[in-house]
Amino acid sequence: MDIFSGILSGFAASFSLANLLYCFIGVLIGTLIGVLPGIGPVGTISLLLPATFHVEPVSAIIMLAGIYYGAMYGGSTTSILVNIPGEAASVVTCLDGYQMARKGRAGAALGISAFGSFIAGTLGVIGLMFMAVLLGALMIHGMIPGPMLLKDHPEIFWGTVTSMYMGNVLLLLLNLPLIGIWVKILKVPYRILFPLIILFCLIGAYSLNNSTFDVVVMLFFGLGGYLMRKFGYEGAPLLLAYVLGPMLEQALRQALLISYGSFTIFFSRPISAAALGIALFLIASYFFPFLRKRRLKVEEEAG
Amino acid sequence: MKTIDTFSSLFLIIMGILFSAGSLRLGIGTVNAPGPGLIPLGAGALLILFSLATIVEAHLGKRAQEKNSLFKGKRWGIALSVLVALFAFAFLLDILGFISTTFLTLTVLFKISEEQKWKIALGVSGLTTASAYFLFDYLLKCSFPRGFLGF
């Protein structure tokens, strides 16, 4: 019952006109930041933190949170339209979204992305870096983050949670009508767009650490990606590997710790055994004759 | 396809060997206390294995006609010059400063890779440099390098 009264009080707090305004400002700035390379949500939140000193703590957190997921959505906009991810999280959006855009379905891709962020709203995982700045903001306003925060200042917690729903609604309202305008960007002739995209990438790579070395690293990997394309290697699995690799290693270590060094734990535990079984089957299916023919045909059609 | 697969797989095999050697140096530890090199060793071994399999498959299978040489045609020269221009950008950024380098690079890109007329190339790159400078340096306060010319 406590939770319901909490949520209700949270909605009451975030529905106030001032907080709605702060949420809207945050979401607007966030989308712009997400679309532009070179500065990310964490950097923006840090820059705008002093601007929130004089407002209510709830409003401050609401605005800063709005910046964060506005940036997440803005990043997916550029991923869909020009195949350049605005944020690290939007890289996967590039894979499907850009293909849809190339087939003339950019509007649908943007719409799905907006709705997707809306449904996945609080329930998503908020990055650690973002949380660190947010904790700093809380402490500046005189609140000690921790288990007592919920008891001493419930309006902060519930206000933030409900503002995330509000923020996502605002994002939808803000972006859905604008999809038409965004799609027009695609109509810019590629001859003009291409150098601009490159410029954005260069600036983005440079401004992370103010280092030209970063730019050179980016160019080397760009060359690698180009060669991969030429030689027919798929980029998507490499991407997945980059994301999943560290997670795999950590999980392996933890599992080995639990099993005192025995590898049989991966087969004795039912969930792990089932997952491994499916994986092995998928790998072996590469060699099944009837699937081979089908796959070769698909590969040839895909060109 | 055959030559491409063979050469790229050979490259990956060499990478896999270097990778595994490096991870041995890191120390693989024991299974009870895995060292930092354990998983990279496994990954390197898998890389070598799969590359070998790719080479074998490339030579055994009945493939379609080999595609035309990949690096033929004018576009390849353009791609190379774009690459050189970008590396030059990184190199010159600290020397000439943001504004000059960006303007030069954009002009080169517009002119060489997209073959615009001089007027359009200079005009659009000037406009873009100005807007980029305004947006990133003035509004967003990203600090760009200033060259020996002072800007």
Side-chain angles (χ1 to χ4, degrees):
Chain A
M1 276 307 134
D2 228 357
I3 301 186
F4 285 122
S5 67
I7 293 187
L8 280 178
S9 74
F11 269 117
S14 49
F15 254 111
S16 79
L17 214 52
N19 283 343
L20 275 179
L21 181 66
Y22 281 115
C23 194
F24 182 73
I25 293 177
V27 158
L28 186 64
I29 296 181
T31 310
L32 281 172
I33 296 300
V35 170
L36 291 171
I39 190 165
V42 179
T44 315
I45 294 176
S46 316
L47 283 176
L48 289 178
L49 195 54
T52 65
F53 285 164
H54 65 285
V55 303
E56 292 290 308
V58 188
S59 315
I61 304 293
I62 287 178
M63 184 173 96
L64 297 176
I67 294 179
Y68 181 76
Y69 39 85
M72 289 293 123
Y73 178 71
S76 64
T77 304
T78 50
S79 310
I80 291 173
L81 291 179
V82 286
N83 205 27
I84 307 286
E87 306 295 329
S90 331
V91 174
V92 188
T93 317
C94 280
L95 298 175
D96 287 331
Y98 186 60
Q99 295 305 320
M100 283 177 76
R102 285 177 68 188
K103 295 198 170 92
R105 299 182 60 206
L110 287 168
I112 295 176
S113 166
F115 274 110
S117 333
F118 176 68
I119 294 174
T122 48
L123 301 177
V125 176
I126 302 184
L128 281 178
M129 287 197 296
F130 163 68
M131 278 320 295
V133 185
L134 216 55
L135 289 180
L138 281 175
M139 291 172 74
I140 288 178
H141 282 277
M143 292 167 219
I144 305 177
M148 297 312 280
L149 187 68
L150 190 49
K151 182 158 170 281
D152 297 335
H153 300 279
E155 74 277 2
I156 295 271
F157 179 74
W158 292 114
T160 312
V161 166
T162 48
S163 81
M164 291 186 175
Y165 287 113
M166 295 305 311
N168 277 291
V169 171
L170 282 173
L171 265 179
L172 263 183
L173 291 174
L174 185 66
N175 283 292
L176 281 181
L178 289 180
I179 287 182
I181 302 185
W182 291 123
V183 174
K184 290 235 167 41
I185 295 184
L186 281 181
K187 300 236 172 78
V188 175
Y190 191 68
R191 294 172 286 151
I192 309 269
L193 211 51
F194 164 69
L196 297 184
I197 294 176
I198 294 213
L199 179 67
F200 278 160
C201 292
L202 291 170
I203 294 182
Y206 176 81
S207 58
L208 264 184
N209 284 320
N210 268 16
S211 114
T212 44
F213 179 70
D214 286 355
V215 180
V216 175
V217 169
M218 180 193 78
L219 291 176
F220 264 115
F221 276 98
L223 177 64
Y226 172 75
L227 289 174
M228 273 178 62
R229 265 263 185 98
K230 275 286 186 184
F231 289 150
Y233 285 97
E234 295 282 329
L238 183 65
L239 206 59
L240 282 175
Y242 262 113
V243 174
L244 293 178
M247 295 165 65
L248 173 95
E249 175 150 15
Q250 175 140 350
L252 183 68
R253 285 166 176 272
Q254 286 171 339
L256 286 178
L257 277 175
I258 293 177
S259 71
Y260 296 106
S262 151
F263 273 94
T264 59
I265 190 175
F266 296 114
F267 295 103
S268 60
R269 305 296 239 162
I271 299 183
S272 164
L276 267 181
I278 296 178
L280 284 170
F281 175 75
L282 284 174
I283 295 180
S285 73
Y286 182 71
F287 298 104
F288 292 165
F290 61 90
L291 283 180
R292 253 182 102 78
K293 290 210 194 79
R294 279 240 236 126
R295 194 191 40 241
L296 285 178
K297 201 162 74 112
V298 170
E299 273 175 22
E300 269 179 40
E301 280 171 24
Chain B
M1 255 318 161
K2 207 160 72 167
T3 26
I4 295 170
D5 272 349
T6 315
F7 280 117
S8 53
S9 302
L10 276 175
F11 172 73
L12 286 176
I13 289 182
I14 296 179
M15 264 194 56
I17 295 178
L18 288 174
F19 206 60
S20 309
S23 58
L24 280 176
R25 226 169 359 128
L26 272 182
I28 50 178
T30 63
V31 175
N32 275 359
L38 184 65
I39 302 229
L41 183 66
L46 277 177
L47 186 62
I48 298 177
L49 204 67
F50 283 132
S51 307
L52 281 171
T54 313
I55 293 187
V56 166
E57 193 191 29
H59 283 267
L60 280 187
K62 303 187 184 80
R63 288 298 186 135
Q65 291 290 61
E66 200 159 307
K67 278 203 281 239
N68 277 335
S69 159
L70 282 178
F71 293 114
K72 198 165 66 169
K74 194 164 131 204
R75 291 300 295 185
W76 177 53
I78 294 181
L80 192 61
S81 37
V82 168
L83 196 64
V84 170
L86 291 180
F87 273 104
F89 174 87
F91 182 63
L92 289 173
L93 190 58
D94 279 326
I95 303 178
L96 289 182
F98 174 72
I99 298 188
S100 324
T101 323
T102 311
F103 181 67
L104 278 172
T105 311
L106 277 181
T107 313
V108 165
L109 284 179
F110 276 123
K111 199 77 192 84
I112 292 190
S113 72
E114 308 297 343
E115 292 166 34
Q116 305 282 7
K117 309 193 240 291
W118 272 114
K119 259 198 314 190
I120 299 187
L122 286 173
V124 179
S125 57
L127 187 65
T128 312
T129 311
S131 334
Y133 180 74
F134 178 65
L135 179 63
F136 287 108
D137 201 300
Y138 183 70
L139 280 185
L140 292 179
K141 307 251 183 301
C142 310
S143 46
F144 287 126
R146 286 153 212 266
F148 65 89
L149 294 170
F151 55 82

